[in-house]
Amino acid sequence: MTTQHQNYDVIIVGGAIYGSSVAWWLTQMPGFQGRVLVVEKDPTYENAATSHTNSCIRQQFSNRVNIGVSQFGADFIKNFRRFMGDHPEVPELVLQSYGYMYLADTPEFAETLRESQKVQASLGAGTKFMTRDEIAADYPFYRLDDILGANHNLLDEGYFDGGTMFDWFKRMARKNGVEYAHDEVTAITRDSNRVTGVTLKSGGFIACGVLVNTAGTRGALVAQMAGLDIPIEPRRRYTYIFDASHPLDRDLPLTIDPTGVHMRTDGRYYLAGGPPDDDPAVDFDDFNADHGLWEEKFWPIIATRIPQFEEIKLINMWVGHYDYNKLDQNAIVGPHPEVSNFLFCNGFSGHGLQQSPALGRGLAEHIAYGEYRSLDLRPFYVDRVLRGEKFLEKAVI
């Protein structure tokens, strides 16, 4: 596909949730008049992590930065139409706040939950630590023999329609002048400490002032084209939709079992998911499923935790990919210290959709003004990765 111009102020590599969030937010930055191009190799987004997301948001992190990012995300979801300029065609988004339920089966993890609850509460989150008896009183369907306590939050934490949010990021970015190209970046050209442009698969060199890497699981490949390196790789994550012969009499919070399996209400059905026991990096296009995992791993764990789920019927399943940050499973966002006009937006490790409103806004601010003006996202900088220093977050699913 031929682009409309040969020079852009900003080229965004990857047009899924982050490419489109950054693109739309750039159109909201007062005074920014730059020309923006989004290059997307597959505009169906069939295998993008955005298309395989479970669309949930939580404030139950241990790191103050992640909590602030999610708090803005919840505000954005609840006021979506207003953020989109009160456009009459923009739908309202609903945040179904059934909350996350982190179950602890060891004294050490119970204490970690208590510490995290204090941090969350200090920032205004509604998280409360629950004893086993309190859990049983509010949610009597759990088997709790091995559980010592849990954290739960019914305020601004649960499911929302991430697909609709993504669709309107795209639509409104285009409406506001962002150009999308169905193409693929095959090379990135540098002049010393600056990126000067990209070569497209369709042919031709396109110059740019800033390049933004929002290529999902392929983020490391895009970085390598510029002679840079980040520890990102694709890893399989399984999602199952099931029906229950004996449905619960109330919403099932997004329950994180100590085994790492999670489950929640999903309309009239239920959703469960998690990693395989053997969790290596996989090829970018490898979405093959181990169909034995349902009966060997997931169903026994689900039925053990909730005995009413001993009689369930699998309705659907799919495999998606995390863009997994091997260092610390948290985002890498912002400019490279040696190539200042190459900006990262990678490595979300499952947090991506919920963090896209705040991090898209932050990157747009950095591009437009050279600084973060809302949330300080510097703790996500790639510098920590280059030094091997982990972003400390205890609540990773």
Side-chain angles (χ1 to χ4, degrees):
M1 175 179 177
T2 303
T3 59
Q4 296 177 18
H5 307 281
Q6 294 301 306
N7 191 304
Y8 292 84
D9 296 279
V10 182
I11 291 180
I12 299 172
V13 185
I17 190 69
Y18 273 94
S20 293
S21 174
V22 173
W24 176 77
W25 275 111
L26 279 170
T27 71
Q28 305 302 297
M29 296 292 114
F32 178 77
Q33 301 295 324
R35 186 183 292 160
V36 180
L37 173 69
V38 177
V39 182
E40 171 53 51
K41 67 189 294 288
D42 179 15
T44 70
Y45 302 98
E46 179 181 3
N47 288 327
T50 300
S51 301
H52 293 146
T53 179
N54 293 341
S55 290
C56 285
I57 187 168
R58 59 184 165 109
Q59 297 182 37
Q60 288 193 61
F61 290 94
S62 65
N63 190 293
R64 300 175 73 89
V65 178
N66 275 335
I67 297 167
V69 164
S70 284
Q71 287 178 323
F72 176 71
D75 181 59
F76 185 84
I77 293 163
K78 293 189 299 180
N79 296 284
F80 185 62
R81 180 180 286 173
R82 175 173 62 80
F83 276 101
M84 289 281 163
D86 288 316
H87 193 286
E89 294 182 9
V90 176
E92 299 284 1
L93 291 184
V94 176
L95 177 48
Q96 299 177 10
S97 293
Y98 45 64
Y100 281 57
M101 177 76 76
Y102 272 88
L103 298 173
D105 63 347
T106 67
E108 294 78 15
F109 189 44
E111 183 57 30
T112 295
L113 290 180
R114 290 181 186 275
E115 292 171 359
S116 296
Q117 187 275 336
K118 292 176 183 176
V119 176
Q120 293 155 22
S122 73
L123 296 175
T127 312
K128 61 180 179 180
F129 181 84
M130 303 177 72
T131 65
R132 179 164 49 196
D133 290 344
E134 289 170 333
I135 302 167
D138 287 354
Y139 300 97
F141 47 74
Y142 289 122
R143 178 179 283 139
L144 298 170
D145 303 14
D146 60 329
I147 298 302
L148 303 179
N151 273 0
H152 189 217
N153 177 15
L154 288 169
L155 177 65
D156 293 344
E157 191 169 87
Y159 171 81
F160 68 101
D161 186 348
T164 294
M165 184 172 76
F166 168 47
D167 183 47
W168 282 95
F169 274 147
K170 267 200 326 277
R171 288 195 197 192
M172 298 303 278
R174 282 195 173 107
K175 181 177 184 294
N176 294 341
V178 173
E179 182 184 345
Y180 277 68
H182 176 194
D183 215 319
E184 184 176 353
V185 172
T186 57
I188 295 171
T189 303
R190 275 178 56 182
D191 181 4
S192 185
N193 63 346
R194 290 189 64 79
V195 169
T196 57
V198 304
T199 301
L200 299 180
K201 188 174 183 179
S202 62
F205 175 80
I206 309 296
C208 69
V210 172
L211 186 139
V212 185
N213 180 0
T214 55
T217 56
R218 288 177 167 83
L221 294 183
V222 172
Q224 287 166 13
M225 291 182 201
L228 307 174
D229 185 49
I230 50 173
I232 305 300
E233 62 187 26
R235 294 198 181 185
R236 289 192 190 98
R237 290 296 179 267
Y238 285 74
T239 299
Y240 301 92
I241 305 296
F242 62 92
D243 196 5
S245 296
H246 306 287
L248 307 178
D249 63 354
R250 65 203 75 188
D251 282 340
L252 172 62
L254 197 155
T255 304
I256 299 94
D257 191 80
T259 59
V261 170
H262 61 266
M263 61 195 94
R264 66 167 171 84
T265 290
D266 190 59
R268 62 158 290 194
Y269 298 120
Y270 299 92
L271 178 150
D277 290 328
D278 184 21
D279 189 25
V282 296
D283 291 339
F284 300 107
D285 298 315
D286 182 357
F287 293 88
N288 294 323
D290 179 349
H291 293 284
L293 279 176
W294 171 247
E295 292 197 3
E296 294 168 7
K297 175 180 179 176
F298 288 93
W299 186 11
I301 290 171
I302 292 165
T304 296
R305 185 59 59 203
I306 301 178
Q308 277 179 246
F309 286 167
E310 289 177 357
E311 295 181 40
I312 56 180
K313 179 183 179 181
L314 186 61
I315 302 295
N316 193 16
M317 69 84 63
W318 62 87
V319 174
H321 286 172
Y322 273 11
D323 58 327
Y324 190 86
N325 177 353
K326 293 185 291 181
L327 176 68
D328 58 24
Q329 294 84 66
N330 274 270
I332 302 170
V333 177
H336 192 278
E338 297 171 8
V339 188
S340 60
N341 68 335
F342 187 106
L343 273 62
F344 293 93
C345 192
N346 309 100
F348 296 96
S349 307
H351 307 152
L353 200 83
Q354 64 185 295
Q355 296 188 321
S356 62
L359 300 189
R361 177 185 63 173
L363 268 182
E365 290 172 345
H366 199 284
I367 293 166
Y369 311 125
E371 63 181 358
Y372 296 121
R373 293 190 171 180
S374 301
L375 291 170
D376 183 359
L377 303 181
R378 286 177 296 177
F380 291 124
Y381 271 5
V382 71
D383 304 53
R384 81 178 195 276
V385 178
L386 301 179
R387 294 190 301 266
E389 296 177 5
K390 294 183 178 182
F391 177 102
L392 184 59
E393 175 55 68
K394 299 176 182 178
V396 173
I397 300 176

